[in-house]
Amino acid sequence: MAAEGGNCACSGIRKCLLCEDNVRSQNAPRSAFKEKSTMKLRRYKLCIICGKTMAVPSPKKCTHIQNSNNAMDSDNETNLEGVIVILDFVGESEELSIVKEIDRTIWKSSQSGRRKQDFGPQVNFKKRKLKLDNFTGLPEFSKALVERMRSLVPALGDFQPVELCNLEYVPERGSSIDPHFDDIWVWGERLVTLNLLSESILTFSRNENDNIEVQVPLPRRSLIIVKGSARYNWKHAIKREDIVSRRIAITLRELAAEFCEGGQCSSIGSDLIKRALSFQGKSVQVNVKDHKS
């Protein structure tokens, strides 16, 4: 899938192939756009069947034997707890139907070669303010997905998402997302993503000093849940080299405790949940100023 119209929404240190090519055309040195060297990194791979993590490359295949402490080659400092991957959460025909419905909505250019569609409140994370004016709910197609999550996945039995973000990644734009923590002021513990159209890898890291990465395979049509330590102690990213063809990630987020019953902002949270779960939403980002998420 070709890059549309040469549009680029990168800012700051973020970059995609479009802005790199534009600067190169103005005789900028190619070395300015080289990725950070990963020669000193210690890489591990999480087995999504049993939860064991092994060094990469590993001399042997995982035997899927459960380990009580989820240790990784007896290296406890690389424990990655709180990641659940559910295979084949949607079928092939359902996947294509969902993508067709998503593509009915206009895509907006985003950072690092991505395009996006937002269904949720506008959030100013620095000032800790929410704007609900343009939020009409989650999209209609997501109702069946949310109901399935709550009925079939024990970890999501009480999941009440109030935001849905569709992100499109394509290799032609060098799409990626830098290591980051999702905001903890407004978003709650569980981050849930449905991976469509192609497989990829979600890379977890803590900081630049320990040089540890844990790779989590994301098979096509799989659902990934990130919670607990993986949510709060590890950053997550999608690397450019792990996008092999068009990928659409549907990510749903719930509210933080402050916005739930008994919290300081519970009345706002109640309104958000009511709007979100009406499943009558239209994308709020088509004609609205971009914001960091």
Side-chain angles (χ1 to χ4, degrees):
M1 184 174 183
E4 294 78 3
N7 293 326
C8 170
C10 297
S11 63
I13 62 173
R14 295 177 179 86
K15 59 185 182 296
C16 67
L17 289 180
L18 298 179
C19 60
E20 290 179 16
D21 288 343
N22 180 55
V23 176
R24 284 174 186 150
S25 69
Q26 301 174 27
N27 298 319
R30 284 183 76 92
S31 59
F33 298 103
K34 286 184 178 179
E35 298 291 337
K36 260 188 178 181
S37 173
T38 57
M39 292 295 292
K40 296 181 180 179
L41 279 176
R42 288 185 289 161
R43 287 197 175 98
Y44 297 82
K45 182 177 180 180
L46 182 75
C47 174
I48 59 176
I49 304 299
C50 70
K52 181 179 179 182
T53 305
M54 296 182 294
V56 176
S58 175
K60 56 185 178 180
K61 291 184 179 180
C62 183
T63 56
H64 308 312
I65 297 176
Q66 295 286 351
N67 189 312
S68 60
N69 64 2
N70 208 27
M72 298 129 185
D73 291 347
S74 300
D75 188 356
N76 289 329
E77 70 174 340
T78 60
N79 267 348
L80 177 64
E81 298 178 346
V83 175
I84 302 171
V85 177
I86 300 172
L87 301 177
D88 299 314
F89 188 75
V90 297
E92 294 182 23
S93 60
E94 185 178 12
E95 173 190 43
L96 296 178
S97 176
I98 291 171
V99 171
K100 183 177 180 180
E101 185 61 33
I102 287 174
D103 280 336
R104 293 179 188 274
T105 295
I106 296 173
W107 288 95
K108 177 172 180 171
S109 295
S110 186
Q111 304 275 6
S112 303
R114 305 186 304 274
R115 294 197 302 170
K116 70 178 180 179
Q117 301 169 358
D118 276 341
F119 298 82
Q122 286 179 261
V123 186
N124 186 321
F125 296 112
K126 290 183 179 180
K127 296 182 179 180
R128 293 198 167 188
K129 290 185 178 180
L130 294 176
K131 185 177 181 181
L132 279 61
D133 296 0
N134 298 303
F135 179 42
T136 55
L138 303 185
E140 184 179 2
F141 78 82
S142 66
K143 182 177 182 179
L145 297 176
V146 172
E147 290 177 347
R148 189 180 308 163
M149 291 174 194
R150 297 184 63 170
S151 62
L152 298 181
V153 183
L156 298 176
D158 60 349
F159 188 56
Q160 296 189 103
V162 296
E163 194 228 31
L164 182 150
C165 180
N166 296 323
L167 284 177
E168 179 199 61
Y169 297 75
V170 292
E172 293 85 353
R173 291 196 301 266
S175 303
S176 64
I177 190 165
D178 293 337
H180 67 284
F181 292 108
D182 277 36
D183 182 80
I184 61 173
W185 166 65
V186 64
W187 306 133
E189 178 179 2
R190 292 166 293 189
L191 309 174
V192 181
T193 298
L194 181 60
N195 188 61
L196 301 179
L197 293 182
S198 66
E199 63 181 21
S200 190
I201 294 174
L202 186 61
T203 299
F204 286 84
S205 60
R206 285 182 298 208
N207 57 64
E208 295 181 355
N209 296 324
D210 63 14
N211 290 321
I212 292 173
E213 287 186 351
V214 179
Q215 301 172 343
V216 178
L218 300 180
R220 183 175 177 175
R221 296 188 297 277
S222 64
L223 186 78
I224 182 169
I225 303 166
V226 176
K227 60 189 183 72
S229 178
R231 161 76 163 104
Y232 297 115
N233 299 326
W234 293 78
K235 295 180 180 181
H236 55 277
I238 297 285
K239 294 187 175 184
R240 176 183 292 180
E241 59 264 32
D242 293 326
I243 298 299
V244 297
S245 60
R246 189 188 188 202
R247 171 186 184 249
I248 291 179
I250 303 175
T251 296
L252 297 107
R253 298 179 176 90
E254 63 185 346
L255 287 170
E258 182 175 346
F259 294 87
C260 297
E261 186 175 354
Q264 185 177 356
C265 301
S266 60
S267 59
I268 297 175
S270 179
D271 186 9
L272 276 170
I273 291 172
K274 183 177 180 180
R275 293 190 192 202
L277 300 185
S278 70
F279 296 102
Q280 298 176 359
K282 304 295 182 183
S283 174
V284 300
Q285 284 301 104
V286 175
N287 295 309
V288 181
K289 186 178 180 180
D290 195 10
H291 66 281
K292 183 179 178 181
S293 60

